[in-house]
Amino acid sequence: MIADSVEADANEVHSRLFLNTENLGKGGTAAFLEPRQSDVLFLPCEVRSFCDPSFSSKSHNATHVTMKRSIAVAERSIRTSHALRTGSICTSCQRRWNSVSQRPGSDRVQFPGAVNSRFTTDLKFARATEEDAMPTFRVLDQEGKLVDKNREEPDISDEEALRLYKDMVSVSIMDLIMFDAQRQGRISFYMVSAGEEGIAVGSASALNPRDPIFAQYRETGIFRYRGFTFDDFMAQLFATKDDTGKARNMPVHYGSRKFNVHTISSPLATQIPHASGAAYAMKIQNLQNPTEDPRVVACYFGEGAASEGDFHAALNIAATRGCPVLFICRNNGYAISTPTLEQYRGDGIASRGVGYGIDTVRVDGNDILAVREVTKKARDLALKNGGRPVLIEAMSYRVSHHSTSDDSFAYRAKVEVEDWKRRDNPITRLRKWMEGKGLWDEEKEKELRSDLRKQILTAYRKAEKEKKPALSGLMSNVYAEPTEEQIEQMATLRKVIQKYPNEYDVSEFDGGLDGLTLDKK
Amino acid sequence: MARPLINTAGRIARSIQSSSRRTYASHPAKARLNIPTDYGTTPLLSHTSKAALANPELSQGAKNGTTSRINLFSAINAAMAHALRSDDRVLLFGEDVAFGGVFRCSMNLASEFGEARVFNTPLSEQGIVGFAIGAAVEGMRPIAEIQFADYVFPAFDQIVNEAAKIRYRAGSNAGMDCGGMVIRMPAGGVGHGALYHSQSPESLFTHVPGMRVVIPRSPAQAKGLLLASIESPDPVIFMEPKILYRAAVEHVPSEPYTLPLSKAEILKEGEDITIISYGTPLYTCQSAITAAEKDLKCSIELIDLRTIYPWDRETISTSVNKTGRAIVVHESMVNAGVGAEVAATIQDKCFLRLEAPVQRVAGWSTHPGLGYERFNIPDVTRIYDTIKSVLDY
């Protein structure tokens, strides 16, 4: 008898464990919560304007951490949740229809997965190669002249044009010096941006400095445009005590809270879904803080990284959640040695955007004014109607080796590279345009180059002599607070170093062995 | 990820109800040890309001409040509702969470807090976790749901290479971290989950500095530990034993409260053996202890790890230094499982006090095949037998 009743209990547990699909519409078999049928089944369908001021909430307090109840918090929360609930923040997230039915005799099919698809009796496969490739937007030709004489002059001040030019040249000179520095064994690794300076600097110039950026690694120009000094670059490259990354990352993996650029990590494409999530945070925060300028997120990646699953995941979720994010693909023809023909067979990366329901444009990445204009328009578009993603494919050519660990002439002809270098690159194109306007000449060019070279070498020499960070950097910041296990391990390491002083050189680290501490706050 | 069980669960459930004979999950007629847990009487759950409020870890507010008798999914639901209500940075998303979730954990939350904060994502685990990381580094506190722990692997790269390392690689760039991010996932055996609805992959994440791994054993614990995880400045993987969602019912304090992370809980004091476990197997351990203490005249200490990493090494070593014997019990495979880490630490910290080798009772080094679950997951008999052999050593 006892066994029987136990068995009956177990029976019930099993039968309740998973959802009874038949009862789903009635709120499942939940015994402990009484679901309201209407709430469970239907999301709010109102579609109201994102910017409607009647849905504004009190200013969002970013430092609020405590979960304790307070009247103020509850009030704000009620207001915000009301705003977020009733003023649907995402028109594109709404269901596209409320019910799906097929009207008799209709020439359109209303399957839930593809509304408004026309019936056809003509069996025809959509062919990827039938149409021309998506056009590439450009403003200047290779001689730095306006392609369309009827178009207005580019919307850029002389001062800003000079800034873009100087930032591109800064990056290209630093690249040459640091590539050599790696060859001489002064730093462990380097990656240049040659040929792609225009994409980074041009797009960064069209963003708000408060727009968060997620980058891959060949976007040094972003950091320069946002305010990185040569000292900042060198601290990271030489992994000195002034490196905000605490000498933990490989060279070129820059990051900065001050300039709103997230730390670069080596795994490719992982930053793309981050950008979608960060953009969703922007969307919520833009709504919660209507008095502040709305922000978007920019995310950079190469055409090789776009083959990763994270690219797919990121674009799809950004589209479904209406995230204000600019996906900026640098299509430079190669992923290390792999040419694009082995990377994909569609029309580049741009053709995929449309498939995700994302507004997409292809731009000449060697034309910095075109990149700037496209990014500016894309940013406006991303903030429209509650937010949405935009895909920009910037075409260019990777003039350099992939990195200091790569000799690209093992897989491509030197003449091809030389041809690109000579025929078309973003720096000479903007220079020609500026010369055409009387903004620039040979003398200024010489002066700029010599001045930048001096500045870079000064920062280089200073960083080279600088100490490494304190040894605590080995284990701090893994968690917000060090764990007991870590504190014990640091004590063990200290003992070993003290026992075998000749086996370790701690003098190059800030504070020497004294820097090897890990205290609980 | 394919999720066939969701679609067939109802059919399975109905077929069980309509038939007097079960084809699985029964126990032999003469069994004395291997009988199912009676959640209605187990001392591991608070069966009265008084017992629930006696927990010294509760905040004063919770202690002075009332309780309600709820199951584990309702406790998770209550915790998330509180988090969403008290902090407008909290978001909740994943596959099918908007209508309430396939295990009902997010019931009514979309209607109460709006589809902007509680929403469905496309079916992509790497997207869900990557999206959560991005929201977290920009100041939100996302609760991301992975529908089954078995499907967390597509997000493994995002967890290991990104979430866990973001604060470290950002260095002194303050605030560039994933604090407040919680990745919830139903885990563990359920009787008929087979290969892809049964796994407990916690040890894969305990090998990753930067992540916290938390597994509650009961409704009251689920609420307190989940709220602590959402408050935590570090990213947390929160594994919910799915077999307990409806089975484990107890009195849970109605007020919000947190329970400490990285702190083990001594569930029962004893003198002769320390048994260390977490999640569902604690109930099996309790049954085995009851039988063993009666049969073998011994006294056994039972400890719930609660946080699997970084774990409370001190409570465990203190206990084993007292008892001199230790057994670690978990559902997932024994090879390189949590038991290996705990056992190695015990032999390091308690070597001179050990009177028997540290034993691990865990899943065998195989996969959770449908028909063999009761032979694979540690049962009362295996734990009982291990207690016996450790005492006899």
Side-chain angles (χ1 to χ4, degrees):
Chain A
M1 285 301 287
I2 290 166
D4 276 350
S5 74
V6 169
E7 190 171 316
D9 280 353
N11 230 336
E12 195 187 9
V13 168
H14 280 289
S15 66
R16 282 175 165 198
L17 207 56
F18 291 108
L19 264 188
N20 184 332
T21 48
E22 197 177 68
N23 289 333
L24 256 185
K26 293 163 197 148
T29 54
F32 304 97
L33 276 180
E34 290 299 326
R36 288 161 290 169
Q37 185 182 347
S38 57
D39 284 347
V40 174
L41 279 181
F42 302 106
L43 303 177
C45 289
E46 305 98 306
V47 178
R48 295 199 202 167
S49 163
F50 178 54
C51 299
D52 188 334
S54 65
F55 301 116
S56 66
S57 68
K58 263 193 176 173
S59 160
H60 175 63
N61 179 0
T63 58
H64 166 71
V65 179
T66 173
M67 308 275 295
K68 283 177 190 156
R69 281 178 183 212
S70 78
I71 293 171
V73 168
E75 253 180 23
R76 187 185 58 188
S77 147
I78 288 164
R79 238 180 249 130
T80 305
S81 63
H82 176 78
L84 295 175
R85 184 168 66 246
T86 55
S88 177
I89 64 162
C90 174
T91 51
S92 55
C93 308
Q94 295 300 309
R95 292 182 176 205
R96 284 182 283 188
W97 62 93
N98 283 324
S99 66
V100 178
S101 62
Q102 187 67 53
R103 271 176 291 117
S106 170
D107 66 337
R108 307 250 160 193
V109 66
Q110 298 289 343
F111 290 125
V115 280
N116 223 23
S117 162
R118 191 172 49 79
F119 284 121
T120 178
T121 53
D122 182 15
L123 197 165
K124 199 177 149 198
F125 290 92
R127 297 288 299 275
T129 52
E130 253 175 2
E131 301 292 326
D132 278 347
M134 192 180 287
T136 302
F137 175 77
R138 54 159 47 175
V139 173
L140 302 178
D141 65 16
Q142 287 178 12
E143 297 309 312
K145 301 243 166 27
L146 279 186
V147 179
D148 182 352
K149 309 287 182 217
N150 298 324
R151 256 176 135 259
E152 280 179 35
E153 280 285 314
D155 175 25
I156 184 168
S157 67
D158 292 352
E159 193 190 9
E160 180 71 359
L162 283 168
R163 180 179 174 193
L164 300 190
Y165 185 71
K166 286 174 185 172
D167 284 352
M168 282 199 291
V169 175
S170 298
V171 171
S172 85
I173 296 177
M174 188 172 76
D175 277 354
L176 289 173
I177 292 172
M178 298 320 292
F179 193 88
D180 284 347
Q182 195 282 332
R183 284 288 186 257
Q184 295 161 16
R186 308 288 179 98
I187 59 172
S188 58
F189 178 77
Y190 197 73
M191 299 178 105
V192 310
S193 303
E196 296 171 63
E197 300 93 337
I199 300 172
V201 175
S203 56
S205 78
L207 299 171
N208 182 308
R210 292 176 61 247
D211 292 340
I213 291 178
F214 293 83
Q216 182 167 303
Y217 49 60
R218 211 181 295 286
E219 296 92 358
T220 303
I222 289 168
F223 293 89
R224 182 65 184 161
Y225 187 87
R226 285 250 162 138
F228 252 51
T229 64
F230 294 124
D231 283 340
D232 294 335
F233 284 120
M234 293 303 155
Q236 202 281 331
L237 296 168
F238 283 98
T240 74
K241 67 176 180 49
D242 300 321
D243 171 22
T244 56
K246 294 196 186 173
R248 287 164 181 163
N249 307 301
M250 282 175 78
V252 189
H253 291 50
Y254 309 112
S256 167
R257 176 87 275 180
K258 186 175 160 197
F259 298 122
N260 292 311
V261 193
H262 288 278
T263 315
I264 287 168
S265 73
S266 305
L268 286 181
T270 46
Q271 79 279 16
I272 317 179
H274 298 180
S276 302
Y280 196 71
M282 292 304 107
K283 178 177 177 135
I284 301 280
Q285 290 165 15
N286 290 345
L287 183 81
Q288 289 172 339
N289 306 319
T291 53
E292 288 188 18
D293 290 339
R295 295 191 286 166
V296 304
V297 170
C299 179
Y300 296 79
F301 51 90
E303 92 285 349
S307 296
E308 293 281 3
D310 278 335
F311 166 88
H312 160 70
L315 269 72
N316 198 33
I317 197 167
T320 58
R321 293 310 301 167
C323 303
V325 50
L326 310 184
F327 295 113
I328 304 175
C329 177
R330 295 176 292 95
N331 190 334
N332 64 16
Y334 288 93
I336 304 188
S337 75
T338 307
T340 52
L341 268 181
E342 291 165 29
Q343 198 65 249
Y344 54 74
R345 280 301 163 103
D347 177 18
I349 308 306
S351 65
R352 300 179 199 170
V354 184
Y356 290 109
I358 293 178
D359 295 341
T360 302
V361 65
R362 175 175 279 159
V363 62
D364 183 345
N366 290 345
D367 180 352
I368 190 168
L369 297 183
V371 172
R372 183 179 150 90
E373 190 171 328
V374 157
T375 311
K376 233 179 187 172
K377 284 263 161 63
R379 192 179 184 279
D380 293 342
L381 197 56
L383 286 169
K384 266 196 185 145
N385 296 328
R388 66 174 119 167
V390 181
L391 173 62
I392 300 170
E393 184 181 25
M395 311 306 291
S396 72
Y397 185 87
R398 197 193 77 212
V399 175
S400 62
H401 300 304
H402 164 71
S403 73
T404 47
S405 310
D406 171 48
D407 173 14
S408 67
F409 301 131
Y411 50 80
R412 63 181 183 181
K414 201 165 181 169
V415 59
E416 175 188 324
V417 180
E418 289 306 322
D419 191 42
W420 275 99
K421 262 193 202 168
R422 194 181 61 249
R423 202 160 41 103
D424 191 16
N425 87 58
I427 296 178
T428 48
R429 209 191 289 192
L430 184 63
R431 180 181 164 181
K432 284 176 183 169
W433 180 76
M434 295 199 309
E435 284 172 351
K437 285 176 58 110
L439 267 179
W440 201 249
D441 56 35
E442 188 57 34
E443 183 129 339
K444 284 181 179 154
E445 178 76 13
K446 269 189 184 158
E447 198 187 317
L448 174 71
R449 286 185 176 271
S450 130
D451 182 45
L452 284 171
R453 212 182 139 72
K454 259 184 234 158
Q455 285 183 41
I456 292 165
L457 287 173
T458 305
Y460 177 124
R461 290 190 193 105
K462 189 176 154 235
E464 213 178 14
K465 284 184 226 127
E466 204 57 83
K467 288 225 172 200
K468 302 276 173 217
L471 279 168
S472 60
L474 168 67
M475 273 200 225
S476 58
N477 307 126
V478 173
Y479 293 93
E481 293 286 328
T483 64
E484 295 295 340
E485 184 184 21
Q486 289 182 313
I487 290 168
E488 197 181 292
Q489 289 171 358
M490 287 289 263
T492 307
L493 177 59
R494 172 187 285 272
K495 272 187 206 151
V496 172
I497 295 173
Q498 282 170 333
K499 199 167 165 187
Y500 302 93
N502 297 335
E503 306 300 322
Y504 301 91
D505 182 7
V506 294
S507 66
E508 60 178 328
F509 291 87
D510 200 22
L513 195 56
D514 288 343
L516 190 73
T517 52
L518 206 55
D519 297 323
K520 274 215 147 159
K521 273 179 197 163
Chain B
M1 290 287 115
R3 298 163 295 161
L5 207 57
I6 301 306
N7 299 324
T8 55
R11 187 173 49 74
I12 291 170
R14 283 194 302 281
S15 73
I16 303 163
Q17 283 168 332
S18 64
S19 161
S20 59
R21 284 191 57 208
R22 264 179 312 169
T23 55
Y24 58 86
S26 79
H27 60 276
K30 290 184 181 168
R32 183 176 71 90
L33 297 168
N34 276 346
I35 55 175
T37 301
D38 182 355
Y39 291 99
T41 57
T42 174
L44 299 193
L45 295 168
S46 297
H47 302 292
T48 64
S49 183
K50 200 177 159 196
L53 297 175
N55 180 355
E57 289 177 339
L58 290 180
S59 64
Q60 207 53 44
K63 259 185 218 166
N64 295 337
T66 56
T67 64
S68 52
R69 200 171 163 272
I70 55 174
N71 65 12
L72 195 135
F73 82 63
S74 303
I76 298 281
N77 182 280
M80 295 196 296
H82 171 69
L84 284 156
R85 198 171 293 126
S86 60
D87 188 341
D88 52 27
R89 297 171 301 168
V90 174
L91 304 173
L92 170 62
F93 51 84
E95 294 156 15
D96 306 300
V97 304
F99 86 111
V102 298
F103 287 110
R104 315 270 76 194
C105 292
S106 49
M107 288 272 283
N108 298 326
L109 298 181
S111 54
E112 182 176 354
F113 300 103
E115 65 95 35
R117 294 178 67 203
V118 180
F119 54 88
N120 291 337
T121 64
L123 212 161
S124 166
E125 284 74 14
Q126 64 202 94
I128 292 168
V129 174
F131 189 87
I133 293 170
V137 295
E138 282 301 332
M140 306 305 279
R141 298 184 95 76
I143 307 170
E145 178 178 303
I146 299 294
Q147 204 158 67
F148 286 84
D150 310 64
Y151 304 134
V152 72
F153 305 115
F156 203 64
D157 184 37
Q158 284 289 350
I159 294 170
V160 175
N161 276 328
E162 297 294 324
K165 295 177 172 63
I166 279 185
R167 184 203 307 277
Y168 186 74
R169 74 177 184 233
S172 61
N173 285 298
M176 290 169 94
D177 59 71
C178 303
M181 178 177 88
V182 179
I183 307 171
R184 292 176 42 238
M185 59 191 87
V190 69
H192 53 286
L195 279 75
Y196 307 109
H197 298 81
S198 304
Q199 297 179 56
S200 299
E202 63 272 10
S203 70
L204 295 171
F205 298 109
T206 62
H207 195 57
V208 184
M211 296 303 295
R212 291 186 184 273
V213 183
V214 177
I215 304 183
R217 71 160 189 281
S218 74
Q221 223 189 46
K223 181 176 172 182
L225 290 174
L226 182 54
L227 284 176
S229 300
I230 297 166
E231 265 191 15
S232 170
D234 302 307
V236 177
I237 289 179
F238 194 86
M239 292 186 181
E240 297 159 12
K242 66 176 99 63
I243 198 164
L244 302 180
Y245 272 140
R246 289 165 192 269
V249 181
E250 70 174 336
H251 278 272
V252 175
S254 308
E255 290 295 308
Y257 60 92
T258 60
L259 294 174
L261 300 185
S262 292
K263 189 90 193 76
E265 184 183 359
I266 299 171
L267 297 177
K268 177 189 169 307
E269 301 213 350
E271 301 300 324
D272 303 317
I273 301 181
T274 302
I275 296 185
I276 303 122
S277 189
Y278 50 89
T280 316
L282 284 164
Y283 296 93
T284 320
C285 292
Q286 176 61 42
S287 302
I289 289 170
T290 306
E293 286 187 337
K294 195 172 145 215
D295 296 354
L296 311 170
K297 306 284 175 263
C298 59
S299 146
I300 298 170
E301 186 144 308
L302 180 61
I303 299 182
D304 179 0
L305 267 187
R306 301 198 285 191
T307 298
I308 317 304
Y309 196 81
W311 58 290
D312 183 354
R313 302 169 354 137
E314 201 182 334
T315 297
I316 278 62
S317 59
T318 303
S319 170
V320 180
N321 273 325
K322 175 180 74 175
T323 61
R325 297 178 182 87
I327 301 170
V328 193
V329 183
H330 56 72
E331 253 185 52
S332 59
M333 296 74 77
V334 67
N335 45 294
V338 170
E341 174 69 17
V342 174
T345 305
I346 289 172
Q347 73 81 27
D348 181 34
K349 306 275 179 200
C350 315
F351 185 71
L352 293 175
R353 276 289 297 124
L354 282 179
E355 291 168 40
V358 181
Q359 293 296 298
R360 291 175 287 163
V361 184
W364 306 117
S365 303
T366 181
H367 306 293
L370 179 70
Y372 314 103
E373 182 170 311
R374 75 187 102 132
F375 298 101
N376 191 28
I377 289 180
D379 57 13
V380 181
T381 309
R382 280 177 60 198
I383 301 167
Y384 177 90
D385 183 61
T386 307
I387 291 170
K388 209 163 182 279
S389 59
V390 164
L391 282 174
D392 292 346
Y393 187 83

